[in-house]
Each structure stands twice: as C-alpha cells, then as structure tokens.
Amino acid sequence: MNVAVAKNETGRALSDAFAIARNRLPGTGKVADIRQRAFEAYERAGLPHRRIEDWKYTDLRMMMREILPPAAEPDAAALKRAGAALKLHAIAGVRRLVLVDGVFAPKLSETDNLERGLRVRTLREVLETGDTALHAQLFAPDSSDSMVALNSAMMTDGLVIEVADGAVLTQPLHIVHIAGGASPAAIFTRSMLRIGGTVHATLVESYIPADGANAYQVHDSLIVAIGDGARLDHVRLIEDGREAFNISSSVVTLGANAHFNTFGMTSGSNVSRYQTVIAFAGEGSRVETNGVNLLNGRQHADTTLFLDHAVPNCASREIFRSVVDDRGHSVFQGRIIVRPKAQKTDAKMMTRALLLSDEAEADNKPELEIFADDVTCGHGATTGALDESLLFYLRARGLSEKEAQALLIQAFVGEAIESIANDALRELAISAAERWLEAWG
C-alpha cells in the first residue's frame, strides 16, 4: 500500500532545499541513493515530538518548528570571523581541525607533520572516492531516529580520522565547529574516528559562534570505533550562541579491553540535545561518561545516553550534574541494558540536579534493563537547592551571597570535571564553567 505524506509549507521548503542542495552534496551513485532514502525516512517521521518516548522532554515540533536552509560555503568574510573566534577559544598543545559552516577550513587547521600512523581526511573526500568500506561505516547510525536520518541525508563535510595500531599521538585532536555565517542557516556535519589497537588518543570537540552568528542550527554526528586495548579520552564543550540549536548524535563501539572516558559540558545554545549510543563489542572494556549542564534564562539542554552491555566482564560509570537557574530546563536520560550474555557486568549511574530558582526544571530519567543474573548494577537521581546551612557558613566568613553560591556550584560540578584525564583540558573545562558563573553572577 502506498502512503502519501501531506506536507506543510515548512516541509515543502525543506524538500526544495534538499533537491537544490543534492547536486552539491558529496557522493554520487550509492551514496546519493542512501541520502535519498534517509531524507525520505526523515520526511515520514518529521521533527521529533513528545509522543516519542526518547524525545518526551524535547519536543522539537514545538521548540524548533522548522529546519533552516543549509548554510552556504563560507566566504572570505565568514572565514575571517571564524579566525577571530578561534583566537578567543584557543587551546594550546592540540592539533586543530576546523569546520566553518559545515565545511573543512584547511587554512585554519593544522594538518602538517602528522604523526606516523595518523591519517586525516575530509568527509567530502571519502564520500567522493571508492572507499566503500568506510561508506558503510559512515552511514551506520540507525536512521530510525529522524534527526539522524536528516543528518545522513544532508551532511556536507566533516573529518575522517584513522589511527593505526600502536601509533603514538603526541597531541590531542581538536575538532572545532564554528558558525560563521551572518544569516540564520543549518549546518550538517558528520565525522568518524577509528582508533587502532593499543592506541591512547584524546579528542576534543568545541562548538562556538563567530561574531554575528547566533540564530543557527547545528546538526552533527560522530562515529567512533575504539580498537582492542586502546583508550580514548573525549571532551565536548558546547558554547554555541544563545539563540542557536545544537542537535548532535554519536555512536561509539569498544573492542576488547578498551577504555572510553568522555566528558561533556553544555553552557551555550538555546536548545541542545546530545544523544549517544555506546556499545560494548569486546570483553574487559570500561566506560566512564560524565557531563555537566550549566543553564539559565530559557535554555533547554537534553543529554540522552544508551549503554549497551552485550558482552561479559565490562564496566560503566555515569556521573551527570546539572545547574539550572531562571526558567532553564535540563534533561538527563540514561539507559543501561545488560544483555543475557553480559555476565559480570558492573554498571552504575548517578545524576544530580541543582535548581537555583523556583521556575527551573530538571527531568532525570535513569533506566536499567537487566537480562543477566550475575551483575552489579545500580542507579540514582537527586534534585535539590543549595544547602542553606553551607551558604550561611560561607557568608559568616565574609563571602558575598553570589560568591558563596558560586563556590558551592563549583564544588557541585567538580566531581564530573575531575574525570578529565588531561590536565590542560580539565583546566579548559573549569575555565568554561567559571565563565558561565561570572556571566551568571
């Protein structure tokens, strides 16, 4: 039976935009066919809404309402603004890889003198070549989620990073997403990181606006494969403009005896959603995922995690903190599934929210699904206000009310920030939190 999907003006505008953009999107033949099917999957579902359980607290039909037209390739003015933004968010000692309005910017990036075993290519380059094995992995994310399907259809560029077995990386890799356009637009990117066996790598992702860029939409996706005995430390910092939308997805697969340590902080954007699937594919692996939301005004930030324990003898820890003021809204959804063969699983999750106003909201939804009998699993969630007795104690020692509150907030989020293994990156996250506190205070 054929089903005709009725389109409103917004839907027709996006269909027209895809039809126009399709000819300049990288990849032909099978890649173009996959894009077409992905866009049709998005059209059938449309923007996620509250009747979809995983999107219950983040109704994009109400919040976003429409997808903006794809951003144009950055011109000289946009690249100049992006360069100025980079100087304000510079990180020392990293290998910088910059995407401006969804397009790789080689002049702002550092791709010379790559370490032996490190290969960096653009998504455009990979999709336009015959590397069909990588094509299959790049389109691997489940397109049953409409936003992932839309990203599959519209992605313009990104990074494909491969690290060979046993390679030694002397610098963290830093992917910087910059919105440089002067007019509202949607940015579609997808990147891949493949880490070989016994490698220790660090990946940093930053989302920042250039001067004048504020009302834009980010649609990003990341695919990560961690080889046997390898370790990846991952830091995400969301500092988008206060009118921006950031919808990001990731899929992480761990080999045997692998270690994945990830930390994310959201202090920017109007509405953000980070959804990730972490799959244990090899025994003896460990995951530590930590996050912080720092929200005020009417900001809305959603972190949705799914940990799939499919093999025995693996461990995971989730620590999430949110600080919410004014009419901000923080969402944490953490789901751990322990499959029948995943005996000796050790999985724990804890989320805590600190509400600084009567109108602030935090929705915490931890879930456990256990189908094995020899496991150690647990979860917890708390929500509360600042401790008045501690505030009184600090005020009695000469601190102002704001100083006392800021000190307690720093201590509250500190447990999650301390999970960052790299000292310089830990200080970077602390500085981002301090910037938020200064603006809040």
Side-chain angles (χ1 to χ4, degrees):
M1 179 178 68
N2 294 324
V3 178
V5 180
K7 298 180 183 177
N8 56 22
E9 291 299 325
T10 299
R12 280 193 291 271
L14 184 60
S15 294
D16 292 343
F18 176 66
I20 294 170
R22 186 165 44 192
N23 292 332
R24 66 181 179 89
L25 292 173
T28 58
K30 291 183 178 180
V31 172
D33 293 340
I34 294 172
R35 287 186 182 275
Q36 181 63 43
R37 291 195 297 271
F39 189 77
E40 291 169 356
Y42 167 77
E43 284 194 308
R44 286 192 295 271
L47 287 169
H49 50 83
R50 68 184 61 187
R51 291 190 297 276
I52 300 173
E53 183 63 26
D54 285 347
W55 292 84
K56 177 181 178 181
Y57 302 107
T58 305
D59 188 339
L60 290 188
R61 288 190 182 178
M62 293 297 295
M63 296 175 175
M64 183 179 283
R65 296 185 181 274
E66 64 175 331
I67 303 295
L68 293 173
E73 291 202 19
D75 55 17
L79 291 172
K80 184 177 180 180
R81 289 192 294 269
L86 271 178
K87 293 179 181 178
L88 296 175
H89 294 81
I91 303 175
V94 300
R95 182 177 295 281
R96 194 170 59 206
L97 304 166
V98 182
L99 298 165
V100 179
D101 292 336
V103 177
F104 181 64
K107 292 184 179 180
L108 298 177
S109 302
E110 298 166 342
T111 55
D112 295 332
N113 302 316
L114 296 179
E115 295 95 329
R116 180 176 296 180
L118 172 62
R119 187 181 189 188
V120 178
R121 291 179 286 171
T122 65
L123 175 76
R124 178 177 295 274
E125 177 187 351
V126 171
L127 291 182
E128 290 179 345
T129 62
D131 197 341
T132 55
L134 278 185
H135 291 179
Q137 294 176 54
L138 280 164
F139 286 101
D142 182 6
S143 291
S144 63
D145 182 291
S146 63
M147 301 310 290
V148 174
L150 181 64
N151 184 269
S152 295
M154 304 287 281
M155 57 185 179
T156 55
D157 209 350
L159 281 306
V160 177
I161 304 169
E162 298 170 277
V163 187
D165 293 349
V168 177
L169 301 186
T170 58
Q171 295 177 300
L173 304 166
H174 185 198
I175 300 177
V176 190
H177 301 260
I178 305 178
S183 58
I187 301 166
F188 298 91
T189 51
R190 179 169 293 185
S191 296
M192 173 186 284
L193 174 61
R194 300 175 67 196
I195 300 175
T198 70
V199 170
H200 186 175
T202 299
L203 174 67
V204 185
E205 292 182 278
S206 296
Y207 298 81
I208 59 176
D211 185 39
N214 210 13
Y216 56 88
Q217 296 173 356
V218 173
H219 302 270
D220 182 47
S221 183
L222 176 68
I223 304 162
V224 177
I226 305 174
D228 294 349
R231 171 172 177 147
L232 174 64
D233 291 290
H234 179 218
V235 177
R236 296 181 79 249
L237 298 175
I238 312 301
E239 298 184 272
D240 285 303
R242 291 297 292 262
E243 295 180 30
F245 285 74
N246 187 314
I247 311 298
S248 300
S249 305
S250 68
V251 176
V252 181
T253 305
L254 286 85
N257 301 305
H259 189 176
F260 180 48
N261 181 294
T262 179
F263 170 84
M265 177 182 290
T266 299
S267 59
S269 74
N270 179 29
V271 174
S272 65
R273 157 93 171 195
Y274 177 54
Q275 52 186 18
T276 183
V277 176
I278 302 174
F280 292 84
E283 292 191 38
S285 294
R286 181 178 180 85
V287 168
E288 294 152 352
T289 174
N290 303 273
V292 173
N293 281 344
L294 299 173
L295 311 175
N296 56 23
R298 291 177 174 268
Q299 285 182 285
H300 176 104
D302 179 340
T303 300
T304 296
L305 307 177
F306 173 38
L307 274 70
D308 187 354
H309 283 269
V311 294
N313 301 303
C314 292
S316 62
R317 295 290 184 271
E318 294 178 63
I319 296 175
F320 190 81
R321 301 284 184 269
S322 58
V323 180
V324 193
D325 198 6
D326 303 323
R327 300 184 68 179
H329 184 190
S330 177
V331 176
F332 173 79
Q333 299 182 107
R335 180 181 170 208
I336 297 174
I337 183 168
V338 182
R339 301 194 183 275
K341 294 182 179 179
Q343 303 293 347
K344 303 293 183 182
T345 290
D346 181 359
K348 294 181 175 62
M349 178 192 335
M350 173 57 74
T351 172
R352 292 191 171 102
L354 183 60
L355 304 183
L356 303 179
S357 79
D358 293 338
E359 294 182 291
E361 181 178 350
D363 290 299
N364 297 319
K365 185 185 174 188
E367 298 178 89
L368 284 174
E369 295 184 32
I370 302 173
F371 301 98
D373 53 16
D374 186 6
V375 301
T376 302
C377 296
H379 64 68
T382 64
T383 302
L386 287 171
D387 190 318
E388 291 295 335
S389 63
L390 292 177
L391 281 173
F392 178 79
Y393 176 86
L394 294 173
R395 294 291 306 280
R397 277 147 183 81
L399 295 181
S400 69
E401 183 177 3
K402 283 295 183 182
E403 288 172 334
Q405 290 175 337
L407 195 60
L408 292 178
I409 291 170
Q410 283 181 301
F412 178 74
V413 302
E415 183 181 359
I417 294 177
E418 286 300 317
S419 68
I420 302 174
N422 184 294
D423 293 341
L425 297 181
R426 189 186 314 114
E427 289 300 320
L428 179 72
I430 291 172
S431 297
E434 288 174 346
R435 284 196 297 272
W436 183 87
L437 285 169
E438 289 171 3
W440 167 79

